[in-house]
Structure formats: structure tokens, C-alpha cells
Amino acid sequence: MAAERIFDRALWVRVRGCGCEERRLNIRVNIELLSISNPVHKKDLAVRLTDDTDPFFLYNLVISEEDFQSLKSQQGLLVDFSAFPQKFIDLLQQCIQEQNKDIPRFLLQLVSSAPALDHTPVSLNVVETNPFKHLTHLSLKFLPGTDAEIKKFLANCLKCLKEDKMMLEERLKKTEEDLTRQLSYTQQSLSEKSRELDKLKNEWTSYTTALSSKHSQELTSEKERALQAQTQYQQQHEQQKKELENLHQKSIQQLQNRLSELEVINKDLTERRYKGDSTVRELKAKLSGLEDECQRAKQEVLSLRRENTTLDAECHEKEKLINQLQTRVAVLEQEIKDKDQLVTRTKEVLDATQEQKVILEESTEEKQRHIEKLETTIKSLSAELLKANEIIKKLQGDLKTLMSKLKLKNTVTIQQEKLLAEKEEKLQKEQRESQEMGQSLQMKEQEVCKLQEQLESTIQKLEESKQLLKTNENVISWLNRQLSEVQMAKKLDTPASAHAGGRAAVSPLGMPDRPSFHSSGVSHAISPLYAFQNYLEPTQSKNGNSQCPVPKVQLNSQLSKLSRCSDAHRVSAAGHTANKENGDQLGLELKYFKKKDDSIPLRGLSQNTLNSVSCAVLQSTRDRTCQPKPRRPQKLPEHQSQPIFLDHRQASYSKSPL
């Protein structure tokens, strides 16, 4: 049987008995692996619990592989028998680490069913504590040792002690022999060293006497040399003193000159500061004026917007009238579009002015901050100058005492001169920046003036558009009057047209409805201009020799455009000459029908319709002067099946409303 010791250490164990308080014992745990080769090679784990203070305290546990399988199944272990010893040792190591703490995490418990450990079975528990409960990782049952086992254990202990005693005795003998040898050697060396000491003492006394005599002679010679050197140094000192006094007076004069220059510079700086304050005030006044002008511009913009709203309301009212007169609708719609464009342009200009105002305000704030920084730098410069004056006074007192302080003060003055030069450069830079800011402010003022001029031009354009609106309304009202007069003249001729079967209905607005000719195969409505000219055709044929030409209704669609255009021009010219011959000022002059470059075009009405309307109005006025007799309109033949095409100036508007 071979035994291999794996673990042997003393541990603190809590002992719990039935009906007794817990106590702590220092128990030695010994773990060995026992290998048995007869008759089969086996390995057993032997665990022994002993107490160094109590030789009769002995508990043994031997675990074989079969016993371990039952232990594994009972306690739910996850390791094999080969790894179990090392895991058990790891748990014991954790208990050793935690045993000195107040609240250990891992601890060993020795639990007995009896009140005392009197040869009763005991279980050793490895317990982990947490705030919730105590977890027992391993529980091993130990049996108390029998008398034979205790005797064997004690015999082994005695044998170990005797072996340790023999080893210690041998070590003592060896150490005694070594110490005796060292003593004899040290005594011999001491005797030799004492002899050498006596010799050295005798030599030292003789050497010290010789040295003292030599030093006394050297001291006398050195004293004489020192007296001579002292006299020489005194003379040199007096000469240096005179030279230093001369240099001191020169430096004092230079410093006084420098002081006067610094005072002049200080006065210049104060004057510049006052000038800068005055410029700042002027800039603030200009800023306030610009802000007032911007507010006025805003008020003007608000008034313009209100006028635009009123104009929009008027346009809405006029749209209702335009729904009645379709020619008026197109004109007013175009005018509204133009006004919207003008309003958008004015809004864009106003937005641009507001953005420029915001940029100006930001730039003025930045300049005010820069001016405040300049004021702080000027204050710091004045404070530094006062400090320099105090330092110069101190230098005058210190120069009389020590030259070293004079050198230090010279370095300080040089540094101050550098600082003053830097401050002067900074002041010049700030003055340049202030000048640049003034130039930029002037540029901004010019831009504001330009924007005001643009606003005035837009206002003038709005007034011109209003005047154009009024003139267009006058033209439309005049046309309405002429149409109503033509209609009244037509009503007088209704008895003649009633015999022919042609009826002309009157619209609610006072204009003739579009007649339709069922007998001729024309099912679509014909424009009122066609009806009006068809009515005037018999009068023209009857009064062929009169000087009142009237445009005829063209039933053939293959006529050339040149003949139609020439007829229209002849009609307009003849009507104009007839009015001049009669001396009557009927209607508006032709200048109102001319196209202007600045005027808004009348969209929705072509030039042909305007010419036809003007011809019809002129013919009606001429008819009233000539007074022709009514004539029945000619009937169209019933066999005519092709559609009737009007003149191209009228057929283009026969299906579309005016």
C-alpha cells in the first residue's frame, strides 16, 4: 500500500453539537491517496481530521470509487472520482482565504448529533453563505478513530517527532563546530588588528605634529598675502564705486527722459480714446436713424399690403360683373395676375430689406463688442502705465543700494517697452477696423436708399395700373352703352322681322341671343355679331348708293383672307370719315383702341372681335343718321344642306363665348 499526501493544513472549523453553542476549533485536515495493488489495482481517498492540541482527537474517512458513486448520486456531484480530490482541495483553499473575514463566504462546519464530540460520527460540511440561504456544496461523514487507530496514529506522531529530534540534534552539532571555528579565527584576527592599530596611532601622532608645524608657517604667509590683497581690492573697489556712480547718474537721466516720453504717449492715448468714444456715439446715432427708417419702411409695406387687400376685394366684386360680361373677365383676370406678380416682387424686395437689416444689426452688435474690448485694453494700458511709474520710483531707491537690482529693473523696463509697442500696434489695428466699419455702414446706407427708390417705383407702377383699370372700365362701359343703343334700334325693327319668322331674343344683360337656323341645317348657335350683321345686310343692299358701307355676311368659306381684311379696314375707315363729315363726336376716339407699350393686353378678345364690334357700333350710329327702311331677311333655300360658315373674324367666335 502506497500513500501520497495531497493536502495537510490546519483550518478553523465551526463545531456544532446538539443543544450546544457553536465554537471554533483549529483542526488539521490531512488528505492522502491510497493505492492498493493486491489483488486489483485500486485507489482510495483517505481524509483525516486531527487536533494538534488534543492527541486523542481523530476522525477518519476512506472513500473508494464505489462509495464515491453513491455519494455523487446522493449529493448531485458533477465531477468524477479522479477530479474529486482536487475540487475538494479547492473548496478548502477558498475556506482558508475567507476564514479571517467577519462574514466569510465559504466556511467549514463540523456537525455532531451528540452534545460533545465523544467518539460519535461527525459530518464535515463545506457551506457557502449568501443573503438568501446557506448552500452546502459537500457533506462528508467521518467516523471516530478506534483505540488501535489512535495508538497507530500516536505511534506515527512519535516516530515523526523522533525523526525531527534527530535531525535537529545533528544540525546543532554542525552549527556548534562551525561557531567554534569562527571564534578562533576571529580572535586571531583581533590580535593582529590591535597590533596594527597601535602602529597606526604612533604614526598618526608623528604625522599630526609635522602637519601642525607646516600649517602654522603657511598661515603666517597667507595672512601677509591676504593683507596685501585686501589693500589692492579696496583701491579697486573705490575706483569701481566711482565708475558705478557715474553710470548710475547717466541711467537716472535716461529713465527721466523715458518717463517724459511715456507721459506724452499716455496723453496721446487718452486723446485717441476720447476720439474713439465720440465715433462710437456717432455710429450709435446713425444706427438709431437707420432703425427708424426701417420701421417707416415696414409701416409703408403694411399700408401697401392693406391697399393690395382692398384691391383684391374690388377685383372680386368686378369678377361678379365680369361673369355677366365675359369680355371683362379675361381683362380683369390678367390684371389680377399682373398685380399678384407686382405684390410678390414687392414682398421679395421687403424680405431682402429685412434680411439686410438683420445683417446690419448683427454687424453693429459685433462692433459694439469690439469697442468694449478696445475700452478694456485701454484701461489695462493705463493701469500698466501707473504700475510702470511706481516701478520707476522703486528703481530710483533701489539703484542707490545694489547694482544687481538695477540690472533686474533694466530687464523689467525693456519688457515694458516691448509691451507698450505691442499695445500701440493693437490700437492702430483697432482704429483701422473702426474706419472699415464706418465705410461698411455707409455702403449699407446706400443700399437702403436704393431699396427705398425701388419701393417708390413699385408704388408708381401700382398707380399706373389703377389708372389703366379705370380707362379699361370706361371703354367697357362705353361699349355697353353702344350695344344697348344698337339693341334699342333693333327693337324698333322687330315688326318687320316678325313677318319673316326670325325672332331675336334679348338676353338679361341687354344683348341679343344667338339665333339658330333649323331650315338651313345649322344646328349650332350663331354669335350675336353675325345676327347683327345679318340684320344690317338688307339695309346695305337697299341703300347701295349711300355712303354707309356695312360688312356683309360671307356664306362662302373659300374667300381669301386678303379680301376679308380689306373689307374690315374699309368699314372702319368709312365709319370714321362719316363721323368726321357729320361733325359728331360719337363714342371714344381711336387713341383708346391703340396698343400701348405700358398697357396690359386685353386677353380673351382677339383683334378681329374688337374690329367687328367697333364696325358694328359705327354702323349703328350711321344707320341712325341715314334711317333706312326695314326689310325682311332673305330666306335660305331649303335644299341647302351644307353648314353656313361666317366670316373668319366671326366664325371663330360663333361657338365660343365672348
Side-chain angles (χ1 to χ4, degrees):
M1 182 185 291
E4 182 184 356
R5 185 172 291 179
I6 300 170
F7 184 80
D8 187 8
R9 287 189 69 175
L11 299 169
W12 287 101
V13 181
R14 294 187 179 184
V15 180
R16 292 174 61 188
C18 184
C20 295
E21 294 181 356
E22 273 188 2
R23 67 181 186 276
R24 293 181 70 188
L25 289 177
N26 195 1
I27 295 172
R28 185 174 292 278
V29 180
N30 188 2
I31 301 171
E32 294 178 351
L33 273 175
L34 303 175
S35 60
I36 302 167
S37 59
N38 289 323
V40 182
H41 183 73
K42 292 182 180 180
K43 280 188 177 182
D44 295 335
L45 182 68
V47 184
R48 184 187 298 143
L49 302 177
T50 58
D51 191 358
D52 295 337
T53 59
D54 188 3
F56 295 102
F57 185 86
L58 178 64
Y59 286 91
N60 294 319
L61 174 64
V62 179
I63 301 171
S64 62
E65 291 183 1
E66 292 82 3
D67 296 333
F68 178 75
Q69 294 298 326
S70 63
L71 180 68
K72 183 178 180 181
S73 62
Q74 287 175 3
Q75 297 188 11
L77 301 177
L78 301 174
V79 295
D80 297 332
F81 181 72
S82 60
F84 176 70
Q86 187 61 41
K87 294 292 182 183
F88 183 45
I89 291 166
D90 293 337
L91 289 171
L92 294 174
Q93 290 289 344
Q94 288 181 355
C95 293
I96 291 165
Q97 291 175 2
E98 298 283 336
Q99 66 184 359
N100 293 322
K101 294 181 180 179
D102 295 333
I103 301 170
R105 186 180 175 187
F106 289 92
L107 54 91
L108 286 172
Q109 287 183 354
L110 196 65
V111 181
S112 174
S113 60
L117 299 173
D118 294 333
H119 302 287
T120 55
V122 172
S123 61
L124 181 68
N125 299 329
V126 180
V127 180
E128 182 184 359
T129 59
N130 58 21
F132 184 66
K133 66 180 290 188
H134 294 280
L135 298 172
T136 56
H137 288 283
L138 186 63
S139 179
L140 300 174
K141 289 184 179 180
F142 288 83
L143 296 173
T146 60
D147 292 335
E149 290 174 350
I150 292 168
K151 287 176 182 178
K152 189 176 179 181
F153 171 69
L154 291 172
N156 288 326
C157 290
L158 279 169
K159 186 178 178 182
C160 292
L161 287 171
K162 284 179 180 180
E163 288 176 355
D164 293 335
K165 184 183 177 185
M166 293 293 288
M167 292 288 291
L168 290 170
E169 285 176 353
E170 288 177 357
R171 286 179 183 175
L172 277 170
K173 286 178 181 179
K174 288 179 181 179
T175 53
E176 283 177 357
E177 290 175 355
D178 293 332
L179 288 170
T180 52
R181 288 173 187 171
Q182 288 177 2
L183 269 171
S184 62
Y185 180 71
T186 52
Q187 284 174 359
Q188 289 176 2
S189 63
L190 270 171
S191 62
E192 290 176 356
K193 295 290 180 184
S194 62
R195 289 171 189 171
E196 289 177 357
L197 262 174
D198 293 332
K199 288 179 181 178
L200 287 168
K201 283 180 181 178
N202 293 324
E203 290 175 356
W204 179 253
T205 53
S206 62
Y207 183 69
T208 52
T209 53
L211 281 172
S212 61
S213 63
K214 285 180 183 179
H215 281 304
S216 62
Q217 291 175 1
E218 288 176 357
L219 276 169
T220 54
S221 62
E222 287 291 331
K223 283 179 181 178
E224 291 175 356
R225 289 176 186 173
L227 289 169
Q228 292 175 0
Q230 188 176 3
T231 55
Q232 290 177 0
Y233 285 134
Q234 283 178 356
Q235 292 174 0
Q236 290 177 0
H237 181 67
E238 287 177 357
Q239 291 177 359
Q240 288 178 357
K241 187 177 180 182
K242 290 177 182 178
E243 291 176 356
L244 288 170
E245 285 177 354
N246 294 323
L247 290 169
H248 178 65
Q249 289 177 358
K250 290 179 181 178
S251 63
I252 286 167
Q253 289 177 359
Q254 290 177 359
L255 288 169
Q256 286 177 356
N257 294 325
R258 184 66 183 166
L259 256 176
S260 62
E261 290 176 358
L262 287 171
E263 286 176 354
V264 172
I265 291 165
N266 193 2
K267 288 178 181 178
D268 293 333
L269 288 171
T270 52
E271 289 176 357
R272 288 177 183 175
R273 181 188 171 189
Y274 290 130
K275 288 179 182 178
D277 292 334
S278 63
T279 54
V280 168
R281 288 171 186 171
E282 289 175 358
L283 289 171
K284 285 181 179 178
K286 287 180 181 179
L287 269 174
S288 62
L290 286 171
E291 287 177 354
D292 294 332
E293 288 177 358
C294 288
Q295 288 179 358
R296 290 171 186 171
K298 284 182 179 178
Q299 291 177 359
E300 289 176 357
V301 169
L302 290 170
S303 63
L304 286 171
R305 285 179 181 172
R306 289 171 184 172
E307 288 178 359
N308 285 327
T309 52
T310 54
L311 287 170
D312 290 332
E314 290 177 358
C315 288
H316 287 301
E317 290 177 356
K318 288 173 183 178
E319 280 177 0
K320 294 178 182 178
L321 296 171
I322 288 163
N323 289 325
Q324 297 174 0
L325 298 169
Q326 295 177 356
T327 57
R328 205 168 169 189
V329 169
V331 176
L332 290 174
E333 282 178 354
Q334 185 61 33
E335 288 175 355
I336 289 162
K337 288 179 182 178
D338 294 330
K339 286 178 184 178
D340 290 330
Q341 289 177 359
L342 289 171
V343 169
T344 53
R345 288 175 186 171
T346 53
K347 285 181 180 177
E348 289 174 355
V349 171
L350 286 171
D351 293 331
T353 54
Q354 288 177 356
E355 289 176 357
Q356 289 178 357
K357 183 186 174 185
V358 172
I359 293 163
L360 283 170
E361 289 176 353
E362 291 176 353
S363 63
T364 50
E365 288 177 356
E366 289 178 356
K367 288 173 183 175
Q368 285 178 356
R369 292 173 186 168
H370 192 65
I371 289 161
E372 289 175 357
K373 288 181 181 177
L374 288 172
E375 289 177 355
T376 54
T377 52
I378 290 163
K379 289 179 182 177
S380 63
L381 279 171
S382 62
E384 286 176 359
L385 287 169
L386 292 171
K387 289 180 181 177
N389 292 325
E390 292 175 359
I391 289 163
I392 289 162
K393 289 179 182 178
K394 289 179 182 178
L395 283 169
Q396 289 176 357
D398 293 331
L399 281 168
K400 294 176 182 178
T401 58
L402 293 169
M403 284 300 292
S404 61
K405 289 184 180 180
L406 192 143
K407 291 178 182 179
L408 291 171
K409 293 294 166 54
N410 284 327
T411 55
V412 171
T413 53
I414 289 163
Q415 289 178 359
Q416 286 179 352
E417 287 175 357
K418 290 179 181 178
L419 287 170
L420 285 168
E422 290 177 357
K423 295 293 172 65
E424 286 176 356
E425 290 177 356
K426 287 181 181 177
L427 280 170
Q428 289 176 0
K429 288 180 181 178
E430 287 168 356
Q431 286 176 357
R432 290 172 188 170
E433 289 177 356
S434 64
Q435 289 176 0
E436 290 176 357
M437 292 298 288
Q439 291 176 0
S440 64
L441 279 170
Q442 289 177 0
M443 293 293 288
K444 297 294 181 183
E445 288 175 356
Q446 291 176 0
E447 289 178 357
V448 170
C449 292
K450 288 179 182 179
L451 290 170
Q452 287 179 354
E453 290 176 358
Q454 289 178 0
L455 274 171
E456 289 175 357
S457 64
T458 52
I459 291 164
Q460 288 177 0
K461 288 179 181 179
L462 277 171
E463 290 177 355
E464 289 176 358
S465 64
K466 287 179 183 178
Q467 290 176 1
L468 286 170
L469 258 176
K470 290 178 180 179
T471 54
N472 289 328
E473 286 177 357
N474 291 326
V475 170
I476 290 163
S477 62
W478 181 78
L479 289 170
N480 287 327
R481 287 173 189 170
Q482 295 297 325
L483 286 170
S484 61
E485 289 176 358
V486 169
Q487 199 171 9
M488 290 297 291
K490 188 179 178 182
K491 284 179 181 179
L492 296 172
D493 299 330
T494 50
S497 61
H499 294 286
R503 295 180 63 190
V506 179
S507 64
L509 297 173
M511 292 181 68
D513 292 333
R514 298 176 185 179
S516 61
F517 298 94
H518 300 286
S519 62
S520 62
V522 179
S523 60
H524 59 273
I526 297 171
S527 66
L529 290 171
Y530 168 73
F532 180 70
Q533 288 181 357
N534 195 6
Y535 173 73
L536 292 174
E537 185 179 359
T539 59
Q540 184 185 5
S541 62
K542 187 176 180 180
N543 298 321
N545 296 321
S546 64
Q547 297 179 359
C548 299
V550 179
K552 296 179 180 180
V553 177
Q554 301 294 330
L555 299 175
N556 191 359
S557 63
Q558 296 178 356
L559 289 175
S560 65
K561 293 180 180 180
L562 292 170
S563 64
R564 285 178 276 181
C565 294
S566 63
D567 290 336
H569 287 298
R570 277 200 309 274
V571 169
S572 61
H576 187 59
T577 54
N579 288 328
K580 281 186 176 181
E581 287 174 359
N582 293 325
D584 298 329
Q585 298 293 331
L586 296 172
L588 294 174
E589 295 180 0
L590 289 173
K591 66 180 180 179
Y592 291 106
F593 296 101
K594 291 180 182 179
K595 185 178 179 181
K596 294 182 181 180
D597 294 332
D598 298 331
S599 63
I600 299 167
L602 295 170
R603 295 185 183 178
L605 291 175
S606 65
Q607 189 67 30
N608 296 324
T609 56
L610 289 171
N611 290 328
S612 63
V613 170
S614 62
C615 290
V617 171
L618 291 170
Q619 184 62 36
S620 64
T621 54
R622 188 64 183 168
D623 288 336
R624 276 186 284 171
T625 57
C626 296
Q627 291 181 359
K629 292 181 181 179
R631 184 182 175 183
R632 293 182 182 178
Q634 295 178 357
K635 290 184 179 180
L636 294 171
E638 295 179 357
H639 64 273
Q640 188 176 358
S641 61
Q642 71 264 18
I644 296 169
F645 292 94
L646 302 176
D647 190 15
H648 73 285
R649 290 171 294 180
Q650 299 166 356
S652 59
Y653 295 97
S654 61
K655 293 183 180 180
S656 61
L658 284 171

